[in-house]
Amino acid sequence: MSSITSAPTANNTAMADFSRTTSRWGQITMIAGLLISVAGPLYLVFGTGLDIAPAQLWIAFAAVAATFGIIWIVEPLTYYPILGPAAMYQAFMIGNISNKLLPAALIAQTNIGAKPGSKRAELAAVVAICGAAVVHLVSLAIFVGLLGSWLISVIPPSVLLVTRLYVLPTVLGAVLVQAIVSMKQPRTTVFALLVSAVVVFVVLPLVPSLAMVSTAIAVLGTILLAWFFRGKATIAEAKPIHIE
Amino acid sequence: MHQPLALQPLAPNDSTDIMAIANNPVLWICVAGVFGVIIIQSLIFMKAARRAAPSVDMSARDIRTSFRSGAVSAIGPSLAVSLVAIALLGLFGAPAVLSRIGLIGSAAYDVSAAGIAAGSMGAKLGDASYTQSVFAVAFFAMSIGGAMWMLATLILTPLLRKGDAKIRSVNPAAMAIVPAAALIGALSCLGLTELPKSAIHVLSFVVSAAVMGTCLLLAKKLGKSWLREWGLGISIVIGLGAALLAVGPAAGA
């Protein structure tokens, strides 16, 4: 901040007030969002007569944690310096951070000429994310909630069946290419593809019972190879990961 | 055949009628709850930002400009996310798609988590083994993952705010390599797992990957960043189109 007009004390009190409010309410709303979002599936599992053993949930959780556990912790760490504390509570609840919220915050900061890391930039990011949230909620409600539900009811069942059967490979094909291109780690990519190919085409046909942990094996194998055979250049070039 | 769930308590977990439980009213209430929480949070944060703005030389106009910039720049990405979400409606139903892919998470994470969870039950998403129970566990896996992200944020943000340098002084090479390896490893394993299922799975995967590659290449060559935002949506639509053409006559039966 280049300004010397506002008295430092007033400045500090107002921003301290902002920090206190956003921190307290950020935590309260995030805990509420967390509980509500888990309540839905837990109701399905235990409240609708589906006969699912709790152990099954732990196994599923362990399988997902083995794959994404590291990213759960690393992603908040990498976003914190860019978003600042207040926007953290917004970003990790609204989601789609890298493709939507970050650009929104950066454009707002540019448009009002706020220096990155300044208090003005912090406020601009929070306000911009509020604006982005409004647009996002409205477009989801209209296009997915209303239009999407209507689409599902009018498209022929045969087409719906095709989308249901093949949407998974299309999502994964595209997302894999996106991840490879944005990470810019060719060595890691080669190891990942090699390890995965061995797991899927060699190990699984031989030991089908490993299907449950195949992703975890591939993840662990890729991490170990990428780490032990890392090049010096990789470290300088590596970009923070984005999946949220 | 669409009996109310209460009438078929004996073997409901064998049913593959996902939409019967995916549109459960309780799930819709939870979606409304998440929407509501985000709206309340945004109102509180806006008010707090307005109050603090004068102290850092931020005018009411700057606030308006920031809000509008954020809103306008979110239009493209929001529509792109909506397109991806619509494509996944048939697999997960509207409430799960709205609360998971639309909010909180992202298509990449949630589809992966659902696939892993289904795999842990020996089932595959979308085919005959995709029963109501598999859907419930997959939905749980997506949600608990989102919850872990929020939990990490809740724990780490206050620590980082205090300037705890220890957390951020983790080996930078490890911070760069390990998460990227985990992500690419997971996605490539999940992707390759789709291939042995059928020739059309291979086709969908390859077409979609090629379209995404083309989108990213064109985005870079022509400087059109909207191609990057829309890449996933475009790839899914063209990939599904290819699958539909390949299925062709069979689909009419």
Side-chain angles (χ1 to χ4, degrees):
Chain A
M1 274 182 307
S2 54
S3 163
I4 45 158
T5 47
S6 44
T9 44
N11 183 335
N12 289 345
T13 346
M15 277 314 284
D17 199 37
F18 174 79
S19 293
R20 214 171 25 248
T21 309
T22 51
S23 164
R24 183 190 302 142
W25 285 100
Q27 288 175 2
I28 292 173
T29 47
M30 184 165 257
I31 291 170
L34 192 159
L35 294 178
I36 296 172
S37 71
V38 180
L42 283 183
Y43 167 76
L44 269 196
V45 168
F46 294 115
T48 56
L50 294 175
D51 188 19
I52 299 168
Q56 189 55 63
L57 296 183
W58 289 109
I59 294 170
F61 174 69
V64 176
T67 308
F68 290 103
I70 296 167
I71 295 172
W72 290 336
I73 296 165
V74 168
E75 224 171 29
L77 290 179
T78 52
Y79 279 127
Y80 182 86
I82 315 172
L83 291 169
M88 286 286 281
Y89 295 116
Q90 299 175 288
F92 281 90
M93 193 150 66
I94 300 171
N96 292 291
I97 301 173
S98 60
N99 57 349
K100 191 183 68 202
L101 298 185
L102 275 187
L106 292 176
I107 289 170
Q109 289 168 350
T110 315
N111 285 353
I112 67 159
K115 283 203 196 90
S118 68
K119 298 284 179 205
R120 285 186 82 210
E122 189 184 336
L123 290 187
V126 167
V127 173
I129 290 177
C130 288
V134 170
V135 167
H136 193 59
L137 290 182
V138 170
S139 74
L140 276 181
I142 295 175
F143 291 103
V144 184
L146 297 179
L147 186 76
S149 300
W150 172 78
L151 260 179
I152 291 288
S153 69
V154 293
I155 60 170
S158 57
V159 176
L160 194 61
L161 187 69
V162 169
T163 60
R164 202 175 121 170
L165 272 176
Y166 304 112
V167 74
L168 209 53
T170 61
V171 171
L172 289 168
V175 166
L176 175 61
V177 171
Q178 196 173 30
I180 290 172
V181 172
S182 63
M183 301 293 161
K184 295 192 176 64
Q185 295 193 20
R187 251 182 239 230
T188 307
T189 304
V190 171
F191 290 136
L193 291 172
L194 273 179
V195 172
S196 301
V198 170
V199 168
V200 173
F201 300 118
V202 181
V203 177
L204 282 188
L206 291 176
V207 197
S209 59
L210 283 178
M212 285 183 184
V213 288
S214 57
T215 321
I217 298 173
V219 167
L220 192 64
T222 309
I223 291 176
L224 290 177
L225 284 173
W227 179 250
F228 285 113
F229 297 100
R230 66 186 185 275
K232 282 216 170 91
T234 330
I235 301 161
E237 286 169 18
K239 300 226 162 172
I241 51 110
H242 300 306
I243 181 175
E244 255 280 8
Chain B
M1 73 183 245
H2 292 267
Q3 291 175 29
L5 275 168
L7 295 182
Q8 36 167 299
L10 286 178
N13 45 343
D14 291 336
S15 169
T16 53
D17 187 5
I18 304 300
M19 291 311 137
I21 62 164
N23 281 305
N24 188 300
V26 174
L27 299 191
W28 278 105
I29 292 170
C30 291
V31 170
V34 175
F35 269 63
V37 168
I38 293 176
I39 291 169
I40 291 169
Q41 188 194 53
S42 299
L43 288 174
I44 294 171
F45 276 43
M46 271 308 288
K47 207 174 147 211
R50 272 215 193 90
R51 225 175 21 232
S55 74
V56 293
D57 283 332
M58 202 172 169
S59 65
R61 216 179 125 207
D62 286 341
I63 294 273
R64 263 202 312 280
T65 307
S66 301
F67 187 85
R68 206 176 326 119
S69 310
V72 170
S73 70
I75 293 175
S78 290
L79 292 179
V81 170
S82 297
L83 178 61
V84 175
I86 289 173
L88 288 163
L89 277 179
L91 196 60
F92 299 129
V97 162
L98 280 172
S99 61
R100 303 302 325 157
I101 284 100
L103 299 167
I104 303 177
S106 67
Y109 167 72
D110 287 302
V111 168
S112 305
I116 292 169
S120 79
M121 297 178 80
K124 283 165 183 157
L125 299 179
D127 71 4
S129 61
Y130 186 41
T131 63
Q132 291 184 341
S133 296
V134 175
F135 167 75
V137 173
F139 185 25
F140 168 80
M142 300 189 230
S143 304
I144 199 73
M148 296 312 286
W149 253 301
M150 291 197 255
L151 196 62
T153 306
L154 283 167
I155 294 170
L156 292 172
T157 305
L159 294 178
L160 290 166
R161 193 203 288 269
K162 278 188 209 131
D164 195 332
K166 256 183 243 156
I167 305 174
R168 283 154 82 178
S169 64
V170 185
N171 184 339
M175 283 284 278
I177 290 175
V178 174
L183 190 61
I184 302 178
L187 292 175
S188 59
C189 182
L190 286 164
L192 295 185
T193 308
E194 292 296 304
L195 301 183
K197 291 181 185 171
S198 81
I200 300 176
H201 282 87
V202 177
L203 178 80
S204 319
F205 181 88
V206 172
V207 168
S208 169
V211 172
M212 178 56 111
T214 314
C215 283
L216 293 177
L217 193 72
L218 287 177
K220 199 176 175 188
K221 281 257 155 72
L222 308 174
K224 305 258 188 256
S225 61
W226 64 267
L227 272 169
R228 206 168 286 130
E229 282 157 20
W230 285 87
L232 183 56
I234 297 171
S235 309
I236 292 173
V237 169
I238 297 183
L240 283 177
L244 206 56
L245 285 179
V247 174

